[in-house]
Amino acid sequence: MTSDVIAFIVVFAAAILFFSWSCYRRFGLVLKGRPDNRFDAVHKRFWNMLFYAFGQRRVVSKPFGINHFVLFWAFMVLLIANAEFLLNGLAPDVISYSRLPDGAYFTLACIFDIVSVLALLSVILAVIRRLTFPPPHTEARSRDAFIILGMVGFLMIAFFGMHASEIARGTERAADYMFISNFGASIIPSGASVGSLETAANVFWWIHAVVLLSFLNYLPYSKHMHVLASIPNCFFKSLEKIKTQSREEFARENTFGVGQVEQFPWKGLFDSYACTECGRCSDVCPATFTGKPLEPRLLIHDIKVNLLKNGPGDGGEVLPLIGGDGEGSVSEEVLWECTTCGACMEVCPVFIEHVPRIVDMRRNLVEMKAKFPEELLTLFENMEQRSNPWGIAPAERTKWAADINVQPFEAGKTEYLFYIGCAGAFDARNRHTTLSVVKILDAGGVSWGTLGRDELCCGESLRRLGNEYVFDNMARENIKMFEEKGIKKIITQCPHCYSTLKNDYKQYGADLEVVHHTEFINSLIKEGKLKLNASGDLGNVVFHDSCYLGRYNLIYDAPRQVVAAATGKAPTEMERNRDKAFCCGAGGGRMWMEEHEGTLINVARVEEALEKKAETICVCCPYCMTMFDDGLKDKDAAEEVRVLDLAEIVAKALSE
Amino acid sequence: MLVVACVKQVPDTTQVKVDPVTGTLIREGVPFIMNPYDTHALEESLRLKDKYGFRVAVISMGPPTAEVTLRKTQALGADEAILLSDRAFGGADTLATSMVLAEAVRKLAEKEELAIIMCGRQTIDGDTAQVGPGIASRLGCSQLTLVDRIEEVDVKNKQVKVRRKLEGRHEIVVAPLPAMIAVLREINNPRYPTVPMRLMAEDADIALWDNKEMNIDEQTIGLKGSATQVRKIFSPERTKGQILGDETDKPEDVARSLIDKMKEKDLLSL
């Protein structure tokens, strides 16, 4: 055994021991989180991992994602090369892929050579990008980022240096297949002695070894923990789209929401390790976009920093999770700025679950501390006492139908319950939508009825705002009423009611077929039950996706098809549309709060619609309706541009 | 020291309709709530608890169903809640009501030094604003009405300094303890209950005091002790105004025509 081998065994053992210890400490912290079963349907999880991690499905949706794809796969291939490299270093006489038959050896040598240069090129490209046209957030240019890129670059240079020296020395029998290394050898001055070439190869070998092991040990201590955590994170990803929050059990001994980092489910903690701070979430966040302190990327980063600070202790909180203003703490205002639009989760390449974490922390503020923006006090009391956000007397729920004849829902006689929703019943503007839906249902010969004054609020805003206790009571009360009245099929006109009745109430075992009016109208049209006179009266119709229809429930095509049928022309798309649509600003209970920081979200969205020369803006949600109406007034465009609900557009096109 | 907060469970009057035929209130299906003014009295009591460490007892006279309201006060942080309920208390006007409440306060004060009796300005069902002062008269203690700020409770010298809101001015008053304070709604923003407190309140003990316990002369309480007799309840005839313009008018035009009308009626002479 040569002294080189002995030295390497020592270095290798130290590096592996330290790496194992680091992983044990860091990943051990994750186990402090609350239980969360992410080991079911292993099959499906495995495929998710293949598709999203190895397939880089979401990563490549952006131009530089292709760079990441190349680097990722270069890594995968070089993992084999480097495993061989390390084992060969430990036992040079036993393990070496040069012992393979010529064909196999030449192929591998060729592949490793090409892949290494690809890795080097993508690293160079990444560095150039960070230096010349970096992504908007400053962390992309952090020391961390350059250290890791530098290490990878060095690793590749050492790889080529080592092989070039050996080729020049004439000891590499695959030289003809290692194009890049061969090129490297050709630029070595021909006068170099065999001894100096051997030394060079040896030096490059050691550089390669040391950089490789340093890289490994640097990972757990940097944002590049991502390298270790993101593949499993795709395995642990939620099997269903995230469209609701988890239930809470209201037992006396429990605490509610998350006020300390280890109260998160373990997956929430693991998420923070998987994040490499690419910033795609922040790029699409309506709060970040309008200059508010909430940045989903920072929120996840703060969770990680908090875990690393507080986790190793024995329960005592060194750094507050909520309320502090430095790194590792999330301020209260940040938590209240989220519209729960879900754009962050839609783009995250490694499926980090931002919104549930925000709601977890909101719950802690509301349920444990009764701390929330003052506008919400009135909302909470109104909801609890009068079951609507405005606190209007429930007797006025039927006022929208003052001039028409509406039948109550009767089990056996009526097929569908038309669940009007608070906005549809109380809000003057949205009552027009309600009346339009009625007109369409009647024209389509649908058997429907309402709950009249007995209808209660679904509690959606409360759930998103973290007032789970009151939501829980409202959900139970509603489900009990639906059961008692024999209600099975429900039509809603509000995507928030829709998603709540459909997805949130499912957690309570409610067996309901819930349909939003967009889908319902679309099927009426397809079945030929509505006679529409398409006219161009509405001018250029720009369509706005509601978050709770689109991203939450994947209803993208139905409203577009309906607009096309009712106007004779497909709607104009905004720059950000479908799964990338920009929120109106009212989700997540933001409807009931003021925007104190930055610019207004609804105005930003209205500007986007105006860029498309909108004459009519088509919405499918009462909140969006209000936000667009207000935004147009802010832009002094309310005279020229109208906002119409999809149902209103269809009702206008109905032949009398 | 003790603060006694008086609360009443009232029908949510915004939801009460008058039967057009009989002229009586239709109470069926109308939810009951804590009298909104009393939520501020309770909040102020709890703030004194936070600030001075006083103990807060809440009393309410009403039917057994009023227990719900008392539970809510416990969820907010009241230390003790007592329901004063007896058929003999029924049908009481403000005179007879203040008799029972005053007696309850007297009983509580036997065991613990009384600092303040906190009442809302008035209830939203009766709207008399007489019960608070009635309690103070019966107990012979200081009477501070229309209070919109408690400046200070001076425990050592046994006095309280409050600000009263009068028409167009404020008045700072110092009065000896014990004192009855009737608060205005602007005095504070009531707190919101935490979930652990709500769960605790779900099975907290609510004491029930009937007249066996209280032992008040039955001629002074309930219907018998009431000086008020209700002849008739009716909605006042509303002389309907006239709606000018319609919703399509520009706000500026509506405002202008409104100002013209007001000028015409000489409502703007300054």
PDB file of all heavy atoms in Angstrom, chain A residues 251-252 256 367-368 370 372 377 380 384 386 394 467 469-470, chain B residues 12 14-15 17 33 72 190 192 194-196 198-200 202-203:
ATOM      1  N   ALA A 251     -59.217  19.595  21.128  1.00  0.00           N
ATOM      2  CA  ALA A 251     -59.193  19.002  22.463  1.00  0.00           C
ATOM      3  C   ALA A 251     -58.438  19.968  23.361  1.00  0.00           C
ATOM      4  O   ALA A 251     -57.550  20.687  22.913  1.00  0.00           O
ATOM      5  CB  ALA A 251     -58.500  17.650  22.413  1.00  0.00           C
ATOM      6  N   ARG A 252     -58.833  19.948  24.633  1.00  0.00           N
ATOM      7  CA  ARG A 252     -58.280  20.906  25.593  1.00  0.00           C
ATOM      8  C   ARG A 252     -56.777  20.915  25.690  1.00  0.00           C
ATOM      9  O   ARG A 252     -56.152  21.954  25.853  1.00  0.00           O
ATOM     10  CB  ARG A 252     -58.832  20.558  26.978  1.00  0.00           C
ATOM     11  CG  ARG A 252     -60.148  21.192  27.211  1.00  0.00           C
ATOM     12  CD  ARG A 252     -60.009  22.228  28.286  1.00  0.00           C
ATOM     13  NE  ARG A 252     -61.167  22.082  29.145  1.00  0.00           N
ATOM     14  CZ  ARG A 252     -61.135  22.218  30.451  1.00  0.00           C
ATOM     15  NH1 ARG A 252     -60.012  22.492  31.047  1.00  0.00           N
ATOM     16  NH2 ARG A 252     -62.219  22.079  31.147  1.00  0.00           N
ATOM     17  N   PHE A 256     -52.822  25.026  19.089  1.00  0.00           N
ATOM     18  CA  PHE A 256     -53.415  25.195  17.762  1.00  0.00           C
ATOM     19  C   PHE A 256     -52.523  26.034  16.868  1.00  0.00           C
ATOM     20  O   PHE A 256     -51.968  27.034  17.299  1.00  0.00           O
ATOM     21  CB  PHE A 256     -54.809  25.791  17.912  1.00  0.00           C
ATOM     22  CG  PHE A 256     -55.636  24.992  18.877  1.00  0.00           C
ATOM     23  CD1 PHE A 256     -55.796  25.403  20.184  1.00  0.00           C
ATOM     24  CD2 PHE A 256     -56.165  23.770  18.488  1.00  0.00           C
ATOM     25  CE1 PHE A 256     -56.507  24.635  21.094  1.00  0.00           C
ATOM     26  CE2 PHE A 256     -56.866  22.988  19.388  1.00  0.00           C
ATOM     27  CZ  PHE A 256     -57.039  23.430  20.694  1.00  0.00           C
ATOM     28  N   GLU A 367     -55.762  31.668  16.918  1.00  0.00           N
ATOM     29  CA  GLU A 367     -56.354  30.746  17.883  1.00  0.00           C
ATOM     30  C   GLU A 367     -55.664  30.748  19.239  1.00  0.00           C
ATOM     31  O   GLU A 367     -56.302  30.539  20.256  1.00  0.00           O
ATOM     32  CB  GLU A 367     -56.357  29.331  17.301  1.00  0.00           C
ATOM     33  CG  GLU A 367     -57.187  29.257  16.026  1.00  0.00           C
ATOM     34  CD  GLU A 367     -57.377  27.855  15.520  1.00  0.00           C
ATOM     35  OE1 GLU A 367     -56.413  27.062  15.548  1.00  0.00           O
ATOM     36  OE2 GLU A 367     -58.496  27.536  15.094  1.00  0.00           O
ATOM     37  N   MET A 368     -54.352  30.971  19.237  1.00  0.00           N
ATOM     38  CA  MET A 368     -53.644  30.937  20.512  1.00  0.00           C
ATOM     39  C   MET A 368     -53.438  32.333  21.097  1.00  0.00           C
ATOM     40  O   MET A 368     -53.382  32.504  22.298  1.00  0.00           O
ATOM     41  CB  MET A 368     -52.266  30.269  20.346  1.00  0.00           C
ATOM     42  CG  MET A 368     -52.314  28.825  19.895  1.00  0.00           C
ATOM     43  SD  MET A 368     -53.172  27.740  21.051  1.00  0.00           S
ATOM     44  CE  MET A 368     -52.004  27.682  22.410  1.00  0.00           C
ATOM     45  N   ALA A 370     -55.038  35.340  19.665  1.00  0.00           N
ATOM     46  CA  ALA A 370     -56.069  36.316  19.286  1.00  0.00           C
ATOM     47  C   ALA A 370     -55.439  37.601  18.761  1.00  0.00           C
ATOM     48  O   ALA A 370     -55.865  38.706  19.085  1.00  0.00           O
ATOM     49  CB  ALA A 370     -57.021  36.597  20.455  1.00  0.00           C
ATOM     50  N   PHE A 372     -54.510  39.662  15.375  1.00  0.00           N
ATOM     51  CA  PHE A 372     -54.733  39.758  13.932  1.00  0.00           C
ATOM     52  C   PHE A 372     -55.042  41.202  13.585  1.00  0.00           C
ATOM     53  O   PHE A 372     -55.355  41.996  14.470  1.00  0.00           O
ATOM     54  CB  PHE A 372     -55.885  38.830  13.494  1.00  0.00           C
ATOM     55  CG  PHE A 372     -57.037  38.787  14.458  1.00  0.00           C
ATOM     56  CD1 PHE A 372     -57.978  39.802  14.477  1.00  0.00           C
ATOM     57  CD2 PHE A 372     -57.171  37.746  15.375  1.00  0.00           C
ATOM     58  CE1 PHE A 372     -59.035  39.777  15.371  1.00  0.00           C
ATOM     59  CE2 PHE A 372     -58.233  37.715  16.281  1.00  0.00           C
ATOM     60  CZ  PHE A 372     -59.164  38.728  16.269  1.00  0.00           C
ATOM     61  N   LEU A 377     -61.432  41.693  13.194  1.00  0.00           N
ATOM     62  CA  LEU A 377     -62.281  41.476  14.371  1.00  0.00           C
ATOM     63  C   LEU A 377     -63.751  41.531  13.968  1.00  0.00           C
ATOM     64  O   LEU A 377     -64.546  40.658  14.316  1.00  0.00           O
ATOM     65  CB  LEU A 377     -61.974  42.520  15.453  1.00  0.00           C
ATOM     66  CG  LEU A 377     -62.773  42.338  16.735  1.00  0.00           C
ATOM     67  CD1 LEU A 377     -62.408  41.035  17.430  1.00  0.00           C
ATOM     68  CD2 LEU A 377     -62.566  43.503  17.692  1.00  0.00           C
ATOM     69  N   PHE A 380     -64.662  38.431  11.939  1.00  0.00           N
ATOM     70  CA  PHE A 380     -64.816  37.232  12.752  1.00  0.00           C
ATOM     71  C   PHE A 380     -66.138  37.247  13.520  1.00  0.00           C
ATOM     72  O   PHE A 380     -66.830  36.241  13.615  1.00  0.00           O
ATOM     73  CB  PHE A 380     -63.641  37.089  13.734  1.00  0.00           C
ATOM     74  CG  PHE A 380     -62.320  36.742  13.076  1.00  0.00           C
ATOM     75  CD1 PHE A 380     -61.139  36.798  13.785  1.00  0.00           C
ATOM     76  CD2 PHE A 380     -62.272  36.331  11.746  1.00  0.00           C
ATOM     77  CE1 PHE A 380     -59.918  36.467  13.185  1.00  0.00           C
ATOM     78  CE2 PHE A 380     -61.070  35.999  11.136  1.00  0.00           C
ATOM     79  CZ  PHE A 380     -59.889  36.071  11.864  1.00  0.00           C
ATOM     80  N   GLU A 384     -69.386  34.734  12.955  1.00  0.00           N
ATOM     81  CA  GLU A 384     -69.838  33.865  14.032  1.00  0.00           C
ATOM     82  C   GLU A 384     -71.285  34.172  14.412  1.00  0.00           C
ATOM     83  O   GLU A 384     -72.064  33.269  14.690  1.00  0.00           O
ATOM     84  CB  GLU A 384     -68.915  34.025  15.235  1.00  0.00           C
ATOM     85  CG  GLU A 384     -68.954  32.843  16.166  1.00  0.00           C
ATOM     86  CD  GLU A 384     -67.816  32.869  17.183  1.00  0.00           C
ATOM     87  OE1 GLU A 384     -66.878  33.670  17.028  1.00  0.00           O
ATOM     88  OE2 GLU A 384     -67.888  32.081  18.139  1.00  0.00           O
ATOM     89  N   ARG A 386     -73.618  36.210  12.552  1.00  0.00           N
ATOM     90  CA  ARG A 386     -74.633  36.340  11.511  1.00  0.00           C
ATOM     91  C   ARG A 386     -74.319  35.516  10.273  1.00  0.00           C
ATOM     92  O   ARG A 386     -75.015  35.629   9.271  1.00  0.00           O
ATOM     93  CB  ARG A 386     -74.772  37.804  11.130  1.00  0.00           C
ATOM     94  CG  ARG A 386     -75.102  38.620  12.376  1.00  0.00           C
ATOM     95  CD  ARG A 386     -75.835  39.857  12.069  1.00  0.00           C
ATOM     96  NE  ARG A 386     -76.246  40.469  13.320  1.00  0.00           N
ATOM     97  CZ  ARG A 386     -76.213  41.769  13.555  1.00  0.00           C
ATOM     98  NH1 ARG A 386     -75.804  42.585  12.612  1.00  0.00           N
ATOM     99  NH2 ARG A 386     -76.610  42.241  14.708  1.00  0.00           N
ATOM    100  N   PRO A 394     -79.422  37.992   8.570  1.00  0.00           N
ATOM    101  CA  PRO A 394     -79.666  36.840   7.693  1.00  0.00           C
ATOM    102  C   PRO A 394     -81.003  36.931   6.947  1.00  0.00           C
ATOM    103  O   PRO A 394     -81.140  36.354   5.866  1.00  0.00           O
ATOM    104  CB  PRO A 394     -79.653  35.662   8.658  1.00  0.00           C
ATOM    105  CG  PRO A 394     -78.772  36.102   9.770  1.00  0.00           C
ATOM    106  CD  PRO A 394     -79.009  37.583   9.909  1.00  0.00           C
ATOM    107  N   ASN A 467     -58.757  31.040  11.270  1.00  0.00           N
ATOM    108  CA  ASN A 467     -59.758  30.915  12.344  1.00  0.00           C
ATOM    109  C   ASN A 467     -60.466  29.567  12.188  1.00  0.00           C
ATOM    110  O   ASN A 467     -61.652  29.471  11.904  1.00  0.00           O
ATOM    111  CB  ASN A 467     -60.760  32.069  12.293  1.00  0.00           C
ATOM    112  CG  ASN A 467     -61.515  32.215  13.595  1.00  0.00           C
ATOM    113  OD1 ASN A 467     -61.641  31.249  14.356  1.00  0.00           O
ATOM    114  ND2 ASN A 467     -62.021  33.400  13.864  1.00  0.00           N
ATOM    115  N   TYR A 469     -61.223  27.258  14.306  1.00  0.00           N
ATOM    116  CA  TYR A 469     -62.226  26.863  15.295  1.00  0.00           C
ATOM    117  C   TYR A 469     -63.629  27.257  14.833  1.00  0.00           C
ATOM    118  O   TYR A 469     -64.552  26.447  14.842  1.00  0.00           O
ATOM    119  CB  TYR A 469     -61.903  27.529  16.637  1.00  0.00           C
ATOM    120  CG  TYR A 469     -62.886  27.203  17.735  1.00  0.00           C
ATOM    121  CD1 TYR A 469     -62.771  26.020  18.452  1.00  0.00           C
ATOM    122  CD2 TYR A 469     -63.926  28.082  18.056  1.00  0.00           C
ATOM    123  CE1 TYR A 469     -63.669  25.710  19.461  1.00  0.00           C
ATOM    124  CE2 TYR A 469     -64.821  27.786  19.068  1.00  0.00           C
ATOM    125  CZ  TYR A 469     -64.691  26.598  19.769  1.00  0.00           C
ATOM    126  OH  TYR A 469     -65.582  26.291  20.760  1.00  0.00           O
ATOM    127  N   VAL A 470     -63.776  28.489  14.406  1.00  0.00           N
ATOM    128  CA  VAL A 470     -65.100  28.945  13.974  1.00  0.00           C
ATOM    129  C   VAL A 470     -65.465  28.295  12.638  1.00  0.00           C
ATOM    130  O   VAL A 470     -66.604  27.887  12.424  1.00  0.00           O
ATOM    131  CB  VAL A 470     -65.161  30.487  13.900  1.00  0.00           C
ATOM    132  CG1 VAL A 470     -66.521  30.948  13.400  1.00  0.00           C
ATOM    133  CG2 VAL A 470     -64.879  31.090  15.264  1.00  0.00           C
TER     134      VAL A 470
ATOM    135  N   ASP B  12     -80.802  39.724  18.901  1.00  0.00           N
ATOM    136  CA  ASP B  12     -80.081  40.518  17.908  1.00  0.00           C
ATOM    137  C   ASP B  12     -81.116  41.414  17.235  1.00  0.00           C
ATOM    138  O   ASP B  12     -81.807  41.003  16.301  1.00  0.00           O
ATOM    139  CB  ASP B  12     -79.416  39.567  16.917  1.00  0.00           C
ATOM    140  CG  ASP B  12     -78.515  40.298  15.952  1.00  0.00           C
ATOM    141  OD1 ASP B  12     -78.557  41.539  15.920  1.00  0.00           O
ATOM    142  OD2 ASP B  12     -77.773  39.620  15.237  1.00  0.00           O
ATOM    143  N   THR B  14     -81.246  43.718  15.205  1.00  0.00           N
ATOM    144  CA  THR B  14     -81.289  44.007  13.771  1.00  0.00           C
ATOM    145  C   THR B  14     -82.090  42.932  13.058  1.00  0.00           C
ATOM    146  O   THR B  14     -82.457  43.080  11.910  1.00  0.00           O
ATOM    147  CB  THR B  14     -79.869  44.019  13.178  1.00  0.00           C
ATOM    148  OG1 THR B  14     -79.259  42.772  13.485  1.00  0.00           O
ATOM    149  CG2 THR B  14     -79.055  45.148  13.729  1.00  0.00           C
ATOM    150  N   GLN B  15     -82.306  41.820  13.754  1.00  0.00           N
ATOM    151  CA  GLN B  15     -83.027  40.726  13.115  1.00  0.00           C
ATOM    152  C   GLN B  15     -84.457  40.589  13.642  1.00  0.00           C
ATOM    153  O   GLN B  15     -85.160  39.664  13.287  1.00  0.00           O
ATOM    154  CB  GLN B  15     -82.268  39.410  13.337  1.00  0.00           C
ATOM    155  CG  GLN B  15     -80.868  39.476  12.781  1.00  0.00           C
ATOM    156  CD  GLN B  15     -80.195  38.127  12.794  1.00  0.00           C
ATOM    157  OE1 GLN B  15     -80.832  37.111  12.570  1.00  0.00           O
ATOM    158  NE2 GLN B  15     -78.907  38.113  13.054  1.00  0.00           N
ATOM    159  N   LYS B  17     -88.268  41.537  13.906  1.00  0.00           N
ATOM    160  CA  LYS B  17     -89.290  42.215  13.099  1.00  0.00           C
ATOM    161  C   LYS B  17     -90.547  42.378  13.966  1.00  0.00           C
ATOM    162  O   LYS B  17     -90.769  41.591  14.875  1.00  0.00           O
ATOM    163  CB  LYS B  17     -89.636  41.370  11.874  1.00  0.00           C
ATOM    164  CG  LYS B  17     -88.483  41.252  10.871  1.00  0.00           C
ATOM    165  CD  LYS B  17     -88.603  42.317   9.793  1.00  0.00           C
ATOM    166  CE  LYS B  17     -87.515  42.255   8.753  1.00  0.00           C
ATOM    167  NZ  LYS B  17     -86.147  42.382   9.158  1.00  0.00           N
ATOM    168  N   ILE B  33     -77.613  37.478  21.444  1.00  0.00           N
ATOM    169  CA  ILE B  33     -76.200  37.873  21.499  1.00  0.00           C
ATOM    170  C   ILE B  33     -75.940  38.586  22.825  1.00  0.00           C
ATOM    171  O   ILE B  33     -76.887  38.927  23.541  1.00  0.00           O
ATOM    172  CB  ILE B  33     -75.826  38.839  20.340  1.00  0.00           C
ATOM    173  CG1 ILE B  33     -76.733  40.091  20.369  1.00  0.00           C
ATOM    174  CG2 ILE B  33     -75.945  38.141  19.004  1.00  0.00           C
ATOM    175  CD1 ILE B  33     -76.317  41.167  19.380  1.00  0.00           C
ATOM    176  N   LYS B  72     -69.392  32.873  27.257  1.00  0.00           N
ATOM    177  CA  LYS B  72     -68.541  33.673  26.377  1.00  0.00           C
ATOM    178  C   LYS B  72     -67.648  34.612  27.212  1.00  0.00           C
ATOM    179  O   LYS B  72     -66.491  34.820  26.892  1.00  0.00           O
ATOM    180  CB  LYS B  72     -69.407  34.476  25.402  1.00  0.00           C
ATOM    181  CG  LYS B  72     -68.575  35.008  24.273  1.00  0.00           C
ATOM    182  CD  LYS B  72     -69.321  35.760  23.222  1.00  0.00           C
ATOM    183  CE  LYS B  72     -68.279  36.386  22.284  1.00  0.00           C
ATOM    184  NZ  LYS B  72     -68.799  37.407  21.421  1.00  0.00           N
ATOM    185  N   PRO B 190     -63.227  45.451  22.016  1.00  0.00           N
ATOM    186  CA  PRO B 190     -63.212  44.193  22.771  1.00  0.00           C
ATOM    187  C   PRO B 190     -62.250  43.175  22.175  1.00  0.00           C
ATOM    188  O   PRO B 190     -62.030  43.147  20.971  1.00  0.00           O
ATOM    189  CB  PRO B 190     -64.650  43.693  22.649  1.00  0.00           C
ATOM    190  CG  PRO B 190     -65.446  44.899  22.359  1.00  0.00           C
ATOM    191  CD  PRO B 190     -64.563  45.781  21.546  1.00  0.00           C
ATOM    192  N   TYR B 192     -60.716  39.264  21.384  1.00  0.00           N
ATOM    193  CA  TYR B 192     -61.286  38.086  20.741  1.00  0.00           C
ATOM    194  C   TYR B 192     -60.830  36.865  21.533  1.00  0.00           C
ATOM    195  O   TYR B 192     -59.686  36.811  21.975  1.00  0.00           O
ATOM    196  CB  TYR B 192     -60.762  38.011  19.304  1.00  0.00           C
ATOM    197  CG  TYR B 192     -61.495  37.031  18.431  1.00  0.00           C
ATOM    198  CD1 TYR B 192     -62.795  37.294  18.022  1.00  0.00           C
ATOM    199  CD2 TYR B 192     -60.895  35.850  18.026  1.00  0.00           C
ATOM    200  CE1 TYR B 192     -63.477  36.399  17.219  1.00  0.00           C
ATOM    201  CE2 TYR B 192     -61.582  34.950  17.217  1.00  0.00           C
ATOM    202  CZ  TYR B 192     -62.861  35.231  16.820  1.00  0.00           C
ATOM    203  OH  TYR B 192     -63.536  34.336  16.025  1.00  0.00           O
ATOM    204  N   THR B 194     -59.320  33.352  22.648  1.00  0.00           N
ATOM    205  CA  THR B 194     -58.424  32.336  22.080  1.00  0.00           C
ATOM    206  C   THR B 194     -59.144  30.992  22.147  1.00  0.00           C
ATOM    207  O   THR B 194     -60.100  30.829  22.921  1.00  0.00           O
ATOM    208  CB  THR B 194     -57.116  32.231  22.893  1.00  0.00           C
ATOM    209  OG1 THR B 194     -57.443  31.768  24.195  1.00  0.00           O
ATOM    210  CG2 THR B 194     -56.399  33.573  22.973  1.00  0.00           C
ATOM    211  N   VAL B 195     -58.666  30.041  21.374  1.00  0.00           N
ATOM    212  CA  VAL B 195     -59.323  28.729  21.370  1.00  0.00           C
ATOM    213  C   VAL B 195     -59.157  27.991  22.704  1.00  0.00           C
ATOM    214  O   VAL B 195     -60.121  27.448  23.227  1.00  0.00           O
ATOM    215  CB  VAL B 195     -58.862  27.877  20.165  1.00  0.00           C
ATOM    216  CG1 VAL B 195     -59.407  26.465  20.252  1.00  0.00           C
ATOM    217  CG2 VAL B 195     -59.314  28.541  18.872  1.00  0.00           C
ATOM    218  N   PRO B 196     -57.953  27.972  23.292  1.00  0.00           N
ATOM    219  CA  PRO B 196     -57.857  27.300  24.597  1.00  0.00           C
ATOM    220  C   PRO B 196     -58.833  27.887  25.623  1.00  0.00           C
ATOM    221  O   PRO B 196     -59.429  27.140  26.402  1.00  0.00           O
ATOM    222  CB  PRO B 196     -56.400  27.561  25.016  1.00  0.00           C
ATOM    223  CG  PRO B 196     -55.667  27.716  23.729  1.00  0.00           C
ATOM    224  CD  PRO B 196     -56.628  28.399  22.804  1.00  0.00           C
ATOM    225  N   ARG B 198     -61.727  29.313  24.923  1.00  0.00           N
ATOM    226  CA  ARG B 198     -63.077  28.871  24.542  1.00  0.00           C
ATOM    227  C   ARG B 198     -63.330  27.452  25.034  1.00  0.00           C
ATOM    228  O   ARG B 198     -64.404  27.137  25.526  1.00  0.00           O
ATOM    229  CB  ARG B 198     -63.222  28.846  23.020  1.00  0.00           C
ATOM    230  CG  ARG B 198     -63.396  30.198  22.350  1.00  0.00           C
ATOM    231  CD  ARG B 198     -63.707  29.901  20.899  1.00  0.00           C
ATOM    232  NE  ARG B 198     -63.492  31.002  19.998  1.00  0.00           N
ATOM    233  CZ  ARG B 198     -64.474  31.628  19.345  1.00  0.00           C
ATOM    234  NH1 ARG B 198     -65.729  31.271  19.514  1.00  0.00           N
ATOM    235  NH2 ARG B 198     -64.202  32.602  18.508  1.00  0.00           N
ATOM    236  N   LEU B 199     -62.311  26.601  24.846  1.00  0.00           N
ATOM    237  CA  LEU B 199     -62.489  25.208  25.242  1.00  0.00           C
ATOM    238  C   LEU B 199     -62.615  25.101  26.758  1.00  0.00           C
ATOM    239  O   LEU B 199     -63.409  24.327  27.279  1.00  0.00           O
ATOM    240  CB  LEU B 199     -61.307  24.357  24.746  1.00  0.00           C
ATOM    241  CG  LEU B 199     -61.155  24.287  23.224  1.00  0.00           C
ATOM    242  CD1 LEU B 199     -59.904  23.505  22.860  1.00  0.00           C
ATOM    243  CD2 LEU B 199     -62.377  23.660  22.567  1.00  0.00           C
ATOM    244  N   MET B 200     -61.847  25.921  27.462  1.00  0.00           N
ATOM    245  CA  MET B 200     -61.921  25.942  28.919  1.00  0.00           C
ATOM    246  C   MET B 200     -63.332  26.382  29.338  1.00  0.00           C
ATOM    247  O   MET B 200     -63.935  25.789  30.229  1.00  0.00           O
ATOM    248  CB  MET B 200     -60.851  26.907  29.436  1.00  0.00           C
ATOM    249  CG  MET B 200     -60.689  27.023  30.914  1.00  0.00           C
ATOM    250  SD  MET B 200     -61.862  28.189  31.630  1.00  0.00           S
ATOM    251  CE  MET B 200     -61.377  29.703  30.823  1.00  0.00           C
ATOM    252  N   GLU B 202     -66.032  26.027  27.794  1.00  0.00           N
ATOM    253  CA  GLU B 202     -67.093  25.074  27.446  1.00  0.00           C
ATOM    254  C   GLU B 202     -67.555  24.275  28.659  1.00  0.00           C
ATOM    255  O   GLU B 202     -68.729  23.953  28.787  1.00  0.00           O
ATOM    256  CB  GLU B 202     -66.604  24.106  26.362  1.00  0.00           C
ATOM    257  CG  GLU B 202     -66.882  24.609  24.962  1.00  0.00           C
ATOM    258  CD  GLU B 202     -66.324  23.679  23.893  1.00  0.00           C
ATOM    259  OE1 GLU B 202     -66.014  22.513  24.196  1.00  0.00           O
ATOM    260  OE2 GLU B 202     -66.188  24.151  22.742  1.00  0.00           O
ATOM    261  N   ASP B 203     -66.624  23.926  29.540  1.00  0.00           N
ATOM    262  CA  ASP B 203     -67.113  23.227  30.734  1.00  0.00           C
ATOM    263  C   ASP B 203     -66.728  23.929  32.029  1.00  0.00           C
ATOM    264  O   ASP B 203     -66.456  23.299  33.039  1.00  0.00           O
ATOM    265  CB  ASP B 203     -66.725  21.739  30.729  1.00  0.00           C
ATOM    266  CG  ASP B 203     -65.398  21.480  30.074  1.00  0.00           C
ATOM    267  OD1 ASP B 203     -64.489  22.325  30.240  1.00  0.00           O
ATOM    268  OD2 ASP B 203     -65.264  20.464  29.395  1.00  0.00           O
TER     269      ASP B 203
END
